Amino acid sequence: MEGMMKAARKTKKEPGLDLVEIPIPKIQPNQVLVKVGATAICGSDIHFYAWDGYAQTRLNPPLTLGHEFAGEIVEVGAAVQDYKLGEHVTADSHIVCGKCDVCKIGLQHICANLKIFGNEVDGSFAQYVAVPETSLWRLPLSTPWDVGAIMEPLGGAVQAVLIEPVTAKSVVIYGDGPIALFAAGVARASGARKVYLVGMVAERLEIAKRMGADTVFNVTQNIDPVQAILDETRVGADVVIEMAGAEASVKNAFKTVRKGGRVTTFGLSPKPFEFDINYSITLRQVTVRGVAGRHMWDTWHLVDGLLESGQLDPRPVITHDLPLEEFDKGFKLITTGSRATGKVLLRPNGM
Ligand SMILES: [Zn+2]
Ligand SMILES: [Zn+2]
């Protein structure tokens, strides 16, 4: 497709993004062009926006950010076989090779030759994004753009919670970021016995309750969540999902789980720390499952199922919905605002 489009782009190696006019991407034969209905700001985008140490090692501007999105197919490459004009799609943020040993054992999302939208290739903070057929996930026409745009991070929550069953189990979630809030909803929709969430921001804990958490703990209010959960469960929780990544939170996660229970590690800690494996894992026979995002594509199938069942409504987590032009406001809401933000959406096309 010919013409120019608006994009929120990292143009220089410094903080912030620029709203620029650039040509609409030319698609390769194996790609489709997606007109973006909605795109969401991710925690990783915050690092890129701030241009911190992580961003400096990861990004090579100029680059259009954004990897969580949904939209309509407006152009189809000659070699694309299974998608048509006018279909609604979202995408996994991962562009995988499909050929390396890691892909071949079914772990494409950690492919040895992984590329990510808005990290290595131009992403979705733009009116149009070029997407290889192998990264697409079809949406029913009835799925609203806002829900389609957050299915990728929701998939992270689904993988973290459901990597092993939670039916009839007590589930504790550490963290109150958007994926942790999604995780509360996933655990509730999947038949958990009781869902606890431990966080720091009162407004987000309210969202956790709306998502289905039975009990929330605010660690800024002089409450010991470990003791409270041990008191209530007597033996500790069956399943603990660590999504905060802070040292104290990781240590508390292992103090909260029962002997023989499961801890999923999902949050990333800013730096290494000392940790007692003997007591925390080995002697108490705790199962640890590291989760680095969604599996392609069985997690997406679970996301579809949870949404279609009506058991899971992710929308309470979406707190802001802005035109693309107001991207700066969106980022500032997350970084310097009251932190009472869940997912912040951007709409590049007013659709
Ligand atoms: Zn993300
Ligand atoms: Zn691969």
Side-chain angles (χ1 to χ4, degrees):
M1 190 185 280
E2 296 293 321
M4 303 293 282
M5 67 171 189
K6 282 178 285 193
R9 216 161 142 83
K10 180 67 91 178
T11 58
K12 302 182 248 2
K13 295 183 172 184
E14 56 186 57
L17 297 182
D18 292 310
L19 188 70
V20 293
E21 286 255 319
I22 54 172
I24 294 171
K26 296 258 178 289
I27 57 168
Q28 303 292 319
N30 66 334
Q31 293 179 327
V32 302
L33 188 69
V34 174
K35 184 176 184 183
V36 178
T39 179
I41 299 176
C42 170
S44 61
D45 298 319
I46 302 295
H47 292 283
F48 299 154
Y49 178 84
W51 198 242
D52 60 12
Y54 169 74
Q56 291 172 31
T57 60
R58 194 80 174 77
L59 276 203
N60 193 15
L63 188 81
T64 303
L65 301 190
H67 59 267
E68 302 172 357
F69 60 94
E72 179 182 344
I73 296 178
V74 292
E75 192 180 359
V76 180
V80 170
Q81 293 183 329
D82 290 326
Y83 287 86
K84 302 190 298 286
L85 271 184
E87 284 198 282
H88 290 192
V89 290
T90 178
D92 200 286
S93 54
H94 295 129
I95 301 167
V96 304
C97 77
K99 296 172 188 163
C100 71
D101 288 344
V102 185
C103 280
K104 281 183 171 163
I105 60 171
L107 297 174
Q108 294 181 57
H109 66 297
I110 48 175
C111 164
N113 304 306
L114 190 65
K115 292 195 175 82
I116 302 179
F117 291 104
N119 286 231
E120 286 87 13
V121 302
D122 281 333
S124 55
F125 291 172
Q127 290 182 285
Y128 298 90
V129 56
V131 185
E133 180 178 19
T134 48
S135 295
L136 291 171
W137 185 254
R138 187 172 278 112
L139 294 176
L141 293 178
S142 57
T143 302
W145 297 131
D146 57 354
V147 173
I150 53 83
M151 284 171 69
E152 193 260 19
L154 175 58
V158 167
Q159 187 62 26
V161 173
L162 296 183
I163 194 161
E164 291 181 8
V166 297
T167 308
K169 293 186 173 176
S170 50
V171 177
V172 181
I173 297 152
Y174 279 89
D176 59 13
I179 298 185
L181 301 176
F182 287 141
V186 171
R188 169 52 58 233
S190 305
R193 171 182 183 159
K194 197 135 193 209
V195 180
Y196 307 86
L197 186 137
V198 183
M200 302 178 74
V201 181
E203 293 89 342
R204 290 181 175 176
L205 296 176
E206 281 307 312
I207 297 173
K209 285 194 209 161
R210 288 175 62 199
M211 291 301 292
D214 298 291
T215 308
V216 296
F217 299 100
N218 189 335
V219 291
T220 66
Q221 288 178 350
N222 242 342
I223 292 165
D224 178 359
V226 174
Q227 197 54 51
I229 293 165
L230 292 180
D231 286 346
E232 198 165 324
T233 57
R234 290 182 301 112
V235 291
D238 299 309
V239 177
V240 180
I241 316 287
E242 204 299 304
M243 295 188 143
E247 177 176 345
S249 165
V250 173
K251 288 179 172 170
N252 280 346
F254 283 88
K255 288 180 193 159
T256 309
V257 73
R258 68 164 163 80
K259 287 183 177 177
R262 183 242 303 187
V263 175
T264 286
T265 58
F266 186 96
L268 299 177
S269 56
K271 56 181 179 4
F273 55 83
E274 268 185 38
F275 179 76
D276 177 4
I277 290 180
N278 296 350
Y279 177 75
S280 305
I281 300 175
T282 311
L283 296 171
R284 303 178 65 244
Q285 285 205 207
V286 169
T287 299
V288 182
R289 300 297 306 259
V291 169
R294 309 140 310 284
H295 287 198
M296 298 161 72
W297 290 90
D298 48 344
T299 311
W300 286 88
H301 187 64
L302 292 175
V303 170
D304 269 0
L306 285 165
L307 292 174
E308 201 179 312
S309 73
Q311 298 294 310
L312 176 65
D313 180 2
R315 280 175 291 188
V317 180
I318 302 171
T319 54
H320 298 81
D321 196 333
L322 304 167
L324 177 68
E325 290 83 348
E326 293 183 34
F327 69 88
D328 227 27
K329 179 177 169 190
F331 276 93
K332 290 206 166 82
L333 276 165
I334 299 171
T335 52
T336 59
S338 64
R339 300 176 67 211
T341 46
K343 267 290 170 199
V344 176
L345 294 187
L346 302 172
R347 305 241 185 190
N349 286 297
M351 304 159 47

